[in-house]
Amino acid sequence: MYLPVHARMIKPAIRGIRASGFSLTELLVASALSMIVMAALASLFSVFGRSVTDAQAMVELTARMRNAAWRLRQDLVGLTCMPSPMVSVECNGGYFAVAEGPSTSPPDPKALTGDTDDTLSVTTSSPAAPFSGRLSGAKGFESPTAEAVWFCEPAGQDNQGTQLYNLHRRQLLVAAAPDAGVFRGNIFAAKGDSDLSYSGRANSLGDLSKSANRFLATAGANRKLTGSREGEDVILGNVIAFDIKIVQAAEAVDGSFETRENADPAAQPLRGVEIRIRCVEPSSGRIRELKVVHSFGGP
């Protein structure tokens, strides 16, 4: 059959054209590679996000611990009574006491947990920024002096089998004198969870020089705030160590100390205290520790 010249010239060119595109195998391989890359990126972003979250949680925990340590240092700096065993009621000086609980610090300093049953009780002063408190009613009041009681209570939860505690700071306002200011006439009784240092009347520092008038002697087992005010006295959570050591000679040791109106005046005074606070960050399990060291002077 005879074809025109232009048909004979075009036909070979048409035959040389191949269909463009990927085969099914190539598409499957490309999809698999894409999924692997996306999974790797997702895993990378997850690790990065978790690291950022953990770092932020540790920063927040450190900030809370530093705030607690600052508050503790302020209480120690403002002590109204230097810790010599004998304290005179007439000096109107208040008191200082460390109670060592039944458990003691673990012998291994690298142990995860520490002592959590020690208690620090002091009378402290802050004239420039008076302490504020609440009564059983709606009325509040202020005082330049207060009882400050530091102790731990179980938080009701654990972290990987380790019991967690809350660190409490109970603050009880002290009258500058038995009938000073809003304390006049002792019209406020210690009802419920008020913030008044009270033992039959509003306590002065002279009253608190007598051990029988102090908060822990009159509060019984109810040390922390309860009812509608529960948790207000919690200054730090996730605590695994609140260990108080006293310094009487050359080193810090576990032990109790209390200023008393009937103590031996020749007994050795304290030279200082060391307080270790250790917390765990629950999401990462990382541990943070701060130590507060305060010297009372002396040779």
Side-chain angles (χ1 to χ4, degrees):
M1 182 178 66
Y2 175 78
L3 293 174
V5 174
H6 68 276
R8 292 198 303 269
M9 295 176 62
I10 294 174
K11 190 172 182 180
I14 295 176
R15 289 175 178 172
I17 296 176
R18 297 181 58 188
S20 60
F22 296 103
S23 67
L24 179 59
T25 302
E26 291 173 329
L27 288 173
L28 291 174
V29 171
S31 298
L33 291 175
S34 298
M35 292 179 66
I36 292 173
V37 171
M38 291 177 64
L41 288 174
S43 177
L44 180 62
F45 281 124
S46 175
V47 171
F48 178 74
R50 187 163 55 249
S51 298
V52 171
T53 301
D54 290 346
Q56 183 178 5
M58 284 301 296
V59 168
E60 293 174 353
L61 174 61
T62 300
R64 291 193 297 270
M65 293 181 69
R66 286 178 175 170
N67 177 68
W70 176 85
R71 180 69 268 178
L72 181 56
R73 291 188 184 98
Q74 292 301 108
D75 285 346
L76 292 171
V77 168
L79 289 180
T80 64
C81 176
M82 296 309 292
S84 294
M86 180 71 177
V87 57
S88 171
V89 176
E90 291 74 23
C91 74
N92 207 41
Y95 74 99
F96 177 94
V98 171
E100 175 66 34
S103 62
T104 57
S105 307
D108 181 6
K110 297 182 179 180
L112 177 64
T113 59
D115 204 350
T116 53
D117 59 358
D118 295 347
T119 303
L120 173 69
S121 308
V122 303
T123 49
T124 185
S125 175
S126 179
F131 301 103
S132 61
R134 290 175 54 182
L135 300 175
S136 55
K139 182 179 179 180
F141 60 105
E142 292 184 342
S143 175
T145 53
E147 278 189 271
V149 186
W150 293 75
F151 58 92
C152 282
E153 290 283 352
Q157 56 185 340
D158 63 84
N159 179 257
Q160 298 180 1
T162 299
Q163 174 68 58
L164 298 179
Y165 292 82
N166 289 325
L167 178 60
H168 296 254
R169 178 185 178 273
R170 188 71 187 273
Q171 177 177 289
L172 292 306
L173 275 65
V174 177
D179 288 312
V182 296
F183 300 92
R184 186 175 303 280
N186 301 310
I187 60 174
F188 304 120
K191 298 177 181 178
D193 291 319
S194 67
D195 299 324
L196 178 66
S197 180
Y198 186 91
S199 59
R201 67 172 188 173
N203 288 322
S204 67
L205 290 176
D207 294 323
L208 292 169
S209 298
K210 301 177 181 179
S211 55
N213 294 329
R214 299 169 187 173
F215 173 68
L216 292 181
T218 58
N222 187 25
R223 302 189 298 178
K224 63 181 183 178
L225 286 169
T226 57
S228 62
R229 298 191 63 191
E230 185 172 1
E232 286 184 21
D233 57 337
V234 175
I235 197 168
L236 188 63
N238 299 322
V239 177
I240 56 175
F242 179 65
D243 189 11
I244 306 173
K245 294 182 181 296
I246 59 175
V247 183
Q248 284 183 307
E251 62 178 344
V253 296
D254 290 316
S256 298
F257 183 95
E258 182 180 11
T259 57
R260 300 180 64 88
E261 72 279 13
N262 57 355
D264 178 5
Q268 187 178 20
L270 285 191
R271 295 180 58 187
V273 292
E274 291 185 3
I275 304 171
R276 183 183 65 166
I277 304 173
R278 182 181 289 178
C279 295
V280 60
E281 203 293 299
S283 62
S284 64
R286 297 172 63 185
I287 306 296
R288 185 77 169 91
E289 178 179 300
L290 286 177
K291 182 180 286 187
V292 175
V293 180
H294 187 79
S295 173
F296 303 123

